[in-house]
């Protein structure tokens, strides 16, 4: 947080220096070359292949349409290009935040209506963004040092269980409400007789393809990994559309 506005309170800093410090990309452009551009192009394609299925999955976790997951994956990268200090970091949504957004939308009673859920997610993101900017200006990043490792580890483990359980309804093609880990398991088990066979077959085949491609890439030590995540998303979308699966 401190790197975004590093010297706002330093009166001796000239406007030009302040501009360069606030937008590190201006300094990097001075030494930019064709070689770096080629590397950036490869990195951009790699990240693009990765974030497309990832963003769609995070949108499902948040309980909003999948296209908003793509929007949230694109915009942070563009903003960080201007304000970020690292050349090797990708900024975007991740599973834990998506899950918390979805739970907040559900708690506020906006989960039933898609448009209301989207509006609530956008408003929440704007409010949190403003808070983060204020915290960056006030240099409050040190607060995270008060969070102990056991608290963070427990939070991460519980979040992973919630994320896994939240995907069960998609694997079985069930329409059940969001809930805690125990509630979700109970709802899935009580509605298992309504399982969508097409959804189960698609899920199993997709997981088999993902595991097989990852194993093959590791054994062959491929220089360029197979973009199996994107391939699975494209193929499953095409098959669902052609076969009119629901």
């Amino acid at each position: 947080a401190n790197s975004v506005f590093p010297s706002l309170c330093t009166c001796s800093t000239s406007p030009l220096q302040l501009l360069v410090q606030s937008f590190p990309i201006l300094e990097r452009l001075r030494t930019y070359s064709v070689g770096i551009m080629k590397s950036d192009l490869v990195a951009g394609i790699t990240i693009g292949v990765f974030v497309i299925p990832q963003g769609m999955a995070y949108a499902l976790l948040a309980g909003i349409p999948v296209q908003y997951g793509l929007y949230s994956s694109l915009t942070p990268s563009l903003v960080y290009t201007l304000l970020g200090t690292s050349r090797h970091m990708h900024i975007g949504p991740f599973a834990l935040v998506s899950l918390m957004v979805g739970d907040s939308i559900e708690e506020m009673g906006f989960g039933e209506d898609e448009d209301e859920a989207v509006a609530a997610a956008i408003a929440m993101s704007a409010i949190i963004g403003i808070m983060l900017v204020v915290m960056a200006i006030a240099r409050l990043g040190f607060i995270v040092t008060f969070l102990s490792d056991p608290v963070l580890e427990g939070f991460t483990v519980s979040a992973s269980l919630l994320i896994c359980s939240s995907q069960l309804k998609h694997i079985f093609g069930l329409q059940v409400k969001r809930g805690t880990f125990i509630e979700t398991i109970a709802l899935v088990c009580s509605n298992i007789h309504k399982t969508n066979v097409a959804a189960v077959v698609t899920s199993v085949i997709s997981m088999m393809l993902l595991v097989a491609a990852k194993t093959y890439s590791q054994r062959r030590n491929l220089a360029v990994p197979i973009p199996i995540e994107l391939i699975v998303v494209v193929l499953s979308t095409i098959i669902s559309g052609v076969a009119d699966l629901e």
Side-chain angles (χ1 to χ4, degrees):
N2 295 344
S3 62
V4 179
F5 300 99
S7 304
L8 290 181
C9 299
T10 305
C11 299
S12 60
T13 304
S14 67
L16 181 59
Q17 290 176 328
L18 180 60
L19 181 65
V20 172
Q21 289 174 348
S22 299
F23 296 92
I25 189 174
L26 298 177
E27 180 66 26
R28 290 198 294 269
L29 288 176
R30 295 175 56 186
T31 58
Y32 204 72
S33 63
V34 176
I36 296 177
M37 183 178 66
K38 292 179 180 179
S39 300
D40 285 347
L41 182 61
V42 173
I45 294 174
T46 304
I47 294 297
V49 169
F50 179 73
V51 301
I52 290 175
Q54 185 187 64
M56 296 171 65
Y58 290 161
L60 291 176
L61 278 179
I64 57 179
V66 293
Q67 62 267 26
Y68 289 94
L70 300 178
Y71 302 155
S72 61
S73 298
L74 174 64
T75 306
S77 298
L78 296 176
V79 174
Y80 190 78
T81 300
L82 300 174
L83 301 177
T85 57
S86 173
R87 301 185 182 188
H88 313 290
M89 184 179 295
H90 166 67
I91 300 297
F94 53 96
L96 186 55
V97 169
S98 301
L99 182 66
M100 294 175 67
V101 169
D103 288 342
S104 300
I105 292 174
E106 192 73 22
E107 288 292 330
M108 292 185 291
F110 297 132
E112 299 295 332
D113 188 277
E114 189 176 272
D115 294 333
E116 289 184 352
V118 171
I122 293 175
M124 196 182 312
S125 301
I127 293 172
I128 294 173
I130 293 172
M131 293 174 61
L132 290 176
V133 171
V134 172
M135 293 178 69
I137 295 174
R139 302 194 176 190
L140 298 178
F142 68 91
I143 293 178
V144 297
T145 59
F146 294 101
L147 298 176
S148 62
D149 289 339
V151 171
L152 294 177
E153 291 173 0
F155 187 69
T156 303
V157 171
S158 60
S160 64
L161 292 175
L162 284 173
I163 291 169
C164 292
S165 64
S166 68
Q167 298 307 296
L168 291 176
K169 64 179 182 181
H170 300 297
I171 293 176
F172 292 100
L174 301 175
Q175 299 293 330
V176 297
K177 294 183 178 180
R178 300 174 69 99
T180 63
F181 176 78
I182 301 298
E183 291 172 348
T184 302
I185 298 297
L187 286 172
V188 170
C189 291
S190 61
N191 290 275
I192 198 69
H193 61 282
K194 300 178 182 178
T195 296
N196 187 323
V197 177
V200 175
V201 172
T202 303
S203 300
V204 172
I205 294 176
S206 298
M207 287 187 285
M208 290 175 62
L209 289 174
L210 290 170
V211 173
K214 183 177 181 180
T215 303
Y216 179 80
S217 298
Q218 291 177 342
R219 288 182 178 179
R220 294 292 181 176
N221 196 21
L222 300 179
V224 180
I226 302 173
I228 188 62
E229 294 86 358
L230 183 61
I231 293 174
V232 168
V233 170
V234 173
L235 288 179
S236 59
T237 302
I238 293 174
I239 294 173
S240 297
V242 172
D244 194 24
L245 300 178
E246 296 183 1

